[in-house]
Amino acid sequence: MPLPIINSIAAWVLKQRIHQIELFLKYPNEVQEELLMNLVRICENTAVGKHYDFASIKSYQTFSERIPISTYEDIEPFIEQTRRGDQNIFWSSPIKWFAKSSGTTNAKSKYIPVSNEALEDCHYKGSKDLLCLYLNNNEDSQLFLGKSLRLGGSSQIYENNNTFFGDLSAILIENMPIWAEFSSTPSSRVSLMSEWESKIMAIINESKNENVTSFAGVPSWMLVLMNRILEDSGKSNLMEIWPNLEVYFHGGVSFEPYREQYKKILPASNFRYYEIYNASEGFFAIQDLNNSNDLLLMLDYGIFYEFIPMDVFGTEKEKAIRLSDVELNTNYAIMISTNAGLWRYLIGDTVRFTSLSPYRIRVTGRTKHYINVFGEELMVENTDQAIAKASLITACEVVDYTVAPIFMKDKEKGAHEWMIEFKKKPEDIGKFQKTLDEILQTLNSDYEAKRYNNMTLNPLVINVARENLFYDWLKDQNKLGGQHKIPRLSNKRDYLEQLKNMQV
């Protein structure tokens, strides 16, 4: 079958989904309420369902009063029981897949359950919807005339008592439909290679002669791969290697600090960027418009959403609200109940709503990754935007960064200490420092108040990292590639001190 016909058929099939999306756009709260009751009904006879008497739960109010908010530590015994082979504990159908995730804050691995329902009705559905929305917005797309260059995790699948675990990307590749394998590069064998340096070269060798039309992966690691591809080819930009490139699907970390660097190596004026918000626990949101920074919250993936305002998170006044009660421009901790048996589970991310009709969000950071030692309430969203703007103003390029507090001592005021690795250093680090500080004050009024006349906070301090410092730190932590990321903000100095010790 000629490729143009395949492209047209694929586009037609994917666009049929638009009608279902329009349903939850029109009736978002009703779709969510019905979904919650379906999840509860399905799990009435599980161990968790019997313990909390799911059979008698008929409303959200009863559900929220009866089921406690949980973290991974709370549910770990149930997960370990299932990993040993027991079933029907927290989800009704057998669970044999577990996404291994350590995140950035805890060296101990987490094993997130991935049911067959979560695979089909959440993760794969999200991937198809991403293509659906993109094609709906770009009818001239030739996406399926070529392949998508994917950069996934670096983990194999391991067996344990007839259950299996690995990076989410490895699980998805292991279970993906055959058409997805044909439309992707590199091969599954190379995608799942565990040694990062060997994997990079294998990806380049397999992909350089393909007709690549799109990219998919985490911005920080994808940039490493792209720069290696350019070094290997001797070309100045990626359009010289793959002239039919049209879109980069990205997620995992904020794109803002890297945007200008991508523009240089993907200079086509019509090249597009599409963001997604997915994690081991589920696929949550998709950019649904061209040239947008907002993500449409997907409401029919078997995930019921609740939110805790960050100003009461972790306090005695902590209270969760459902989607219908959220407000614009408020930071919320996100909580989910899912078709893999996670019940009122805190995933550790924070979001804010930029639109309530439809519900669109931006990811603002992590519940553990912010700085509020002095009442400044600095979020990752603030620092990512500030880094991007300061880099543009001072004509520099940032590879990575992290920030920690300098605690008050004796009569000395506090401050924020930054470790920044530059690809291209600013000509005047003092100017960059002043610019960054001033931009942060425009983005965060609490930070501005603490910085006013150096009342509480002294000017921020910048350490210029040696080349490859963050790469070496991740390598030392055995966290190269995949979904691993640098912890941007912390109320402690642990990460910063480790990095400073590796400076020499």
Side-chain angles (χ1 to χ4, degrees), residues 260-261 264 387-398 422-428 431-432 435:
E260 294 304 313
Q261 295 180 60
K264 289 182 179 179
I387 279 282
K389 290 181 179 180
S391 298
L392 201 57
I393 292 169
T394 59
C396 66
E397 295 177 1
V398 169
F422 295 95
K423 181 182 179 185
K424 177 186 175 185
K425 293 180 183 177
E427 288 187 8
D428 184 343
K431 180 184 177 183
F432 177 85
T435 303

Side-chain angles (χ1 to χ4, degrees), residues 114-131:
V114 182
S115 65
N116 289 334
E117 292 86 348
L119 276 175
E120 293 300 327
D121 299 331
C122 184
H123 292 291
Y124 290 138
K125 192 174 182 179
S127 298
K128 286 185 282 189
D129 280 355
L130 171 63
L131 297 175

Side-chain angles (χ1 to χ4, degrees), residues 24 35 72 89 102 147 150 153 219 241 276 313 382 406 500:
F24 76 68
L35 188 154
Y72 185 80
I89 306 297
S102 60
K147 293 189 175 185
R150 64 190 180 196
I241 303 171
I276 60 172
F313 181 79
N382 303 145
I406 298 174
K500 290 177 80 170

Side-chain angles (χ1 to χ4, degrees), residues 369-384:
H369 286 195
Y370 62 95
I371 300 182
N372 194 29
V373 173
F374 312 102
E376 66 274 51
E377 297 188 26
L378 197 68
M379 305 292 291
V380 174
E381 182 184 36
N382 303 145
T383 55
D384 278 344

Side-chain angles (χ1 to χ4, degrees), residues 307-310 321 325-334 349-353 364 367:
F307 304 89
I308 302 175
M310 282 303 291
I321 59 175
D325 296 322
V326 299
E327 298 176 352
L328 288 174
N329 299 316
T330 298
N331 270 315
Y332 293 103
I334 188 169
D349 288 345
T350 60
V351 300
R352 64 181 173 87
F353 284 84
T364 55
T367 54

Side-chain angles (χ1 to χ4, degrees), residues 241-421:
I241 303 171
W242 298 300
N244 297 318
L245 282 172
E246 62 175 83
V247 61
Y248 171 31
F249 301 112
H250 63 87
V253 300
S254 171
F255 190 60
E256 285 310 306
Y258 308 102
R259 189 178 296 277
E260 294 304 313
Q261 295 180 60
Y262 272 91
K263 284 183 180 178
K264 289 182 179 179
I265 59 178
L266 291 163
S269 59
N270 61 345
F271 189 84
R272 303 178 185 95
Y273 298 90
Y274 262 64
E275 185 176 357
I276 60 172
Y277 175 25
N278 68 334
S280 299
E281 297 88 351
F283 201 124
F284 306 127
I286 300 171
Q287 178 183 327
D288 65 317
L289 300 170
N290 287 340
N291 307 312
S292 172
N293 292 319
D294 302 330
L295 307 180
L296 180 68
L297 193 63
M298 307 303 285
L299 304 179
D300 64 348
Y301 285 3
I303 299 174
F304 179 76
Y305 294 98
E306 295 175 86
F307 304 89
I308 302 175
M310 282 303 291
D311 59 357
V312 296
F313 181 79
T315 71
E316 291 181 357
K317 295 181 180 178
E318 179 177 278
K319 187 179 187 304
I321 59 175
R322 54 185 157 176
L323 188 62
S324 57
D325 296 322
V326 299
E327 298 176 352
L328 288 174
N329 299 316
T330 298
N331 270 315
Y332 293 103
I334 188 169
M335 186 164 69
I336 58 174
S337 298
T338 76
N339 55 2
L342 298 175
W343 298 102
R344 307 198 80 205
Y345 180 79
L346 285 165
I347 63 173
D349 288 345
T350 60
V351 300
R352 64 181 173 87
F353 284 84
T354 57
S355 166
L356 301 183
S357 182
Y359 288 104
R360 290 197 181 97
I361 61 171
R362 292 188 190 177
V363 181
T364 55
R366 301 277 293 168
T367 54
K368 293 182 179 179
H369 286 195
Y370 62 95
I371 300 182
N372 194 29
V373 173
F374 312 102
E376 66 274 51
E377 297 188 26
L378 197 68
M379 305 292 291
V380 174
E381 182 184 36
N382 303 145
T383 55
D384 278 344
Q385 287 181 11
I387 279 282
K389 290 181 179 180
S391 298
L392 201 57
I393 292 169
T394 59
C396 66
E397 295 177 1
V398 169
V399 175
D400 249 319
Y401 75 90
T402 193
V403 192
I406 298 174
F407 295 104
M408 293 178 178
K409 187 176 182 182
D410 300 326
K411 294 183 179 180
E412 189 61 41
K413 293 167 185 172
H416 289 173
E417 184 173 4
W418 293 60
M419 179 70 76
I420 306 177
E421 182 180 341

Side-chain angles (χ1 to χ4, degrees), residues 62-115:
T62 307
F63 174 78
S64 63
E65 289 171 353
R66 192 174 296 173
I67 315 302
I69 295 170
S70 64
T71 63
Y72 185 80
E73 289 69 29
D74 297 323
I75 64 173
E76 185 178 26
F78 301 124
I79 288 175
E80 287 305 308
Q81 193 177 346
T82 306
R83 288 187 66 219
R84 290 194 298 268
D86 293 344
Q87 296 292 345
N88 207 39
I89 306 297
F90 45 81
W91 185 246
S92 57
S93 64
I95 293 180
K96 66 175 183 176
W97 297 101
F98 292 85
K100 185 180 179 183
S101 169
S102 60
T104 48
T105 58
N106 192 337
K108 185 179 180 181
S109 294
K110 299 177 181 179
Y111 295 91
I112 306 300
V114 182
S115 65

